[in-house]
Amino acid sequence: MTDKTIIRFQQVTKQYDNDPAVLDNVSFEIERGKFYTLLGPSGCGKTTILRLIAGFIEPSDGNIYFNGKKVNQLPANKRQVNTVFQDYALFPHLNVFENVAFGLRIKKMKSNIVEQKVKEALRFVNLEGYENREIREMSGGQRQRVAIARAIVNEPEVILLDEPLSALDLKLRTEMQYELRELQRNLGITFIFVTHDQEEALAMSDEIFVLNNGKIEQSGNPNDIYDEPINRFVADFIGESNIVSGTMLEDYVVKFTGKTFECVDGGFHPNEDVEIVIRPEDLEITKPQDGKLQVKVDSQLFRGVHYEISCYDNDGNEWLVHSTKKATVGENIGLHFESEAIHVMRYDETEEDFDKRLEAYEEGSHGN
Amino acid sequence: MGTKSRNYYLIPYVLWIALFVVAPILLVLYYSFFNIEGHFTLENYKKFFTPVYLKMTFSSFWYAFLITFFTFIIAYPTAYLLTKTKHKQLWLLLIIVPSWINLLLKAYAFIGIFGTYGAANKFLEAMGVGGKQILFTDFSFVFVSVYIFLPFMILPIFNALNDLNPSLIDASNDLGASPLTTFKRVIFPLTLDGVKAGCQIVFIPALSLFMLTRLIAGNRVITLGTAIEQHFLVTQDWGMGATIAVFLIIAMVIIMLLTGKRKSGMLR
Ligand SMILES: Nc1ncnc2c1ncn2[C@@H]1O[C@H](COP(=O)(O)OP(=O)(O)OP(=O)(O)O)[C@@H](O)[C@H]1O
Ligand SMILES: [Mg+2]
């Protein structure tokens, strides 16, 4: 723990009644002034983590520290944290202005300062001129932005955002992504952001926590998580991947689809069974005889930036290819890839062991 | 075709309203212009503004206010606790069940309890306080009325609290509000409609209570309701009784307008 640490979870478990644990022995640290993203499928415990940080619920086991002090029992109104709720939770009896001003009024701020700050916050979320609207007169996306304004106007140490952009259209969403990121940098506030959307997570975060079933599967910066997923779940959840099983003959030599390839991963037992990940954009279409793999094109989708081409090899493995070049359905083609494009994953490796192994064997091999 | 057939469905309702609401009100209005000998007169209205009747009106309002006030003071926390319990619908049912029992039965039960040799006095004696005159006091009147009206106040407040989105309370705490501030700024304003509905349901009947005034208050409390009953059944002065009823109806309409839901639907 360093003095940059603002929030620390120490083996936190959350359980309701006798149901299986919603969060299972989770430990992590949040550093001041960074942008964190919790990413994971529905029901994996993202909102639960935010509620623990905000103080709406208490951990069943383990400890939560805020600025080095244990805060397990500290009530929500005493924490330097503000939340943008998944269901917005705007006050229906107050208009837009009063909703945003709520926290400032509690702090008994002077009304001219309140007015100025609320206006500024509303300008930030592109809602100037909506001050006197009732909440029920606002659209879903506008409500979401009021909720963001209501949190940031208080300038807390930490802002928790529970899928704050999910109701916005693509253009506004991208715009808000940039602006939130910029705001976070300017204010130096710690953001903890929840999303289902892996692209959003990759684009915005300093650090991503990938969650599944109440556990953190992997944490790291977006590049690391994308390039070196720890297991099939992470590889599948972040970006699209081709995952096949293979055997590690020895360090730096892997066998899959009956062929032997050079790779850059090490630290395995000889002949260890492993899983191989190759990203669709790392596959390049060639003539059959020039390719490292020979496959048959099964279907093709135009995705705007690229074609998504689905192919099958002789063993029945599916290979997704992202290519700017068009292929012909039914055609036999070759697939070329660099040896760096192969990422080898061990079965059931803990994050700790994974990080250690990577450090020992992959120095400088993956571009960062 | 659609609206026409819908109009047919309305016939029983319109008939009902006409026969049992509009016609009686018109009759009451009509009778209020006749004196005891059956001559047309405005005397009754003049008489209403004499100190005797004004005092009666004031005392009606005062007791109705007291009853509503105490009912509210008890009902709100009760409803609040109910929403926090595990089997809230069951508890709610238990609270509502007494309201199914006939009013007179309950009144007679209280005569037994509050009477000179009743359970209440026995208890006071056992406590060493000594026997007291409980029946036929203002206290017993208000107490029994509150008991009778309580379920009617609890129900709308319970519903309002139950409909309240719990994340609004989280949001308020999150923004730094203490539990008390959260209650003042979020919970109470958002349940105000339920409170108003409850007050309306209690205050209006409380204005015209008459059985309890005799049975429990021993006619020490004379309300407009009692006065109407006396005029119709004892002195046979239907005109004056009707006049008081007219004022009672006006008062009720005003109260309904005051406590009615705001049209803007601000809370929904
Ligand atoms: N009050 C509660 N009582 C019992 N179980 C609960 C309660 N709150 C949440 N859960 C359970 O905890 C699990 C995690 O919920 P959580 O809200 O953290 O999911 P999430 O990751 O935010 O999902 P989503 O992306 O759908 O919002 C879910 O299985 C949910 O059913
Ligand atoms: Mg959630």
Side-chain angles (χ1 to χ4, degrees), chain A residues 51 54 56 76-77 81-83 85 87 89-93 102-103 105-106 136 150 154, chain B residues 165 167-168 170-178 181 185-186 189-190 264-268:
Chain A
R51 292 174 63 78
F56 305 138
N77 58 322
V81 174
N82 285 117
T83 308
F85 289 82
D87 64 353
L90 297 172
F91 303 119
H93 60 302
F102 194 92
R105 295 231 193 270
I106 299 284
R136 80 195 129 80
R150 187 177 67 173
N154 299 294
Chain B
N165 177 358
S167 58
L168 294 179
D170 284 346
S172 172
N173 288 334
D174 188 74
L175 292 163
S178 64
T181 314
R185 299 215 179 176
V186 179
L190 284 174
S264 67
M266 207 171 119
L267 299 178
R268 288 284 108 175

Side-chain angles (χ1 to χ4, degrees), chain A residues 36-89:
Chain A
Y36 288 84
T37 299
L38 306 180
L39 179 65
S42 187
C44 69
K46 305 182 294 292
T47 300
T48 305
I49 290 183
L50 294 196
R51 292 174 63 78
L52 283 164
I53 297 176
F56 305 138
I57 50 176
E58 284 173 26
S60 319
D61 208 358
N63 292 316
I64 299 172
Y65 296 89
F66 196 94
N67 277 334
K69 278 198 224 67
K70 189 168 138 185
V71 292
N72 289 22
Q73 260 101 22
L74 192 70
N77 58 322
K78 303 247 165 73
R79 298 194 189 193
Q80 271 297 307
V81 174
N82 285 117
T83 308
V84 179
F85 289 82
Q86 192 164 11
D87 64 353
Y88 320 146

